[in-house]
Amino acid sequence: MQRSDRIRVLVCDAIDPNGLEVMKRNNLHVDYKPDIKHEELLSIVKDYDILIVRSRTKVRKDVIDASNGSIKLIARVGWV
């Protein structure tokens, strides 16, 4: 897979559709996979710059290692 110049965002949990639209309007390439399984996340995380999660997706050492350094930001969205 050839990477584009656009920042690639993987959204791993359900978020408000308005949040997706804001990112797309700001020229981010957004892949929305709210039901992604851990094994799939491990296999594709290296193709992204930003990882957005809520409480369902656990970002542990194996996910960070599988990114091969491509992930620049991990954002946990939602209420605290």
Side-chain angles (χ1 to χ4, degrees), residues 3 9 17 21 37 47:
R3 300 212 21 154
V9 179
E21 287 306 313
K37 302 286 186 237
D47 298 326

Side-chain angles (χ1 to χ4, degrees), residues 11-15 31-37 56-57:
V11 180
C12 296
D13 295 315
I15 67 169
D31 286 336
Y32 184 57
K33 296 181 177 262
D35 298 317
I36 193 169
K37 302 286 186 237
R56 185 187 69 85
T57 301

Side-chain angles (χ1 to χ4, degrees), residues 10-25:
L10 177 59
V11 180
C12 296
D13 295 315
I15 67 169
D16 189 294
N18 291 325
L20 297 172
E21 287 306 313
V22 167
M23 288 186 280
K24 290 176 183 177
R25 278 197 313 264

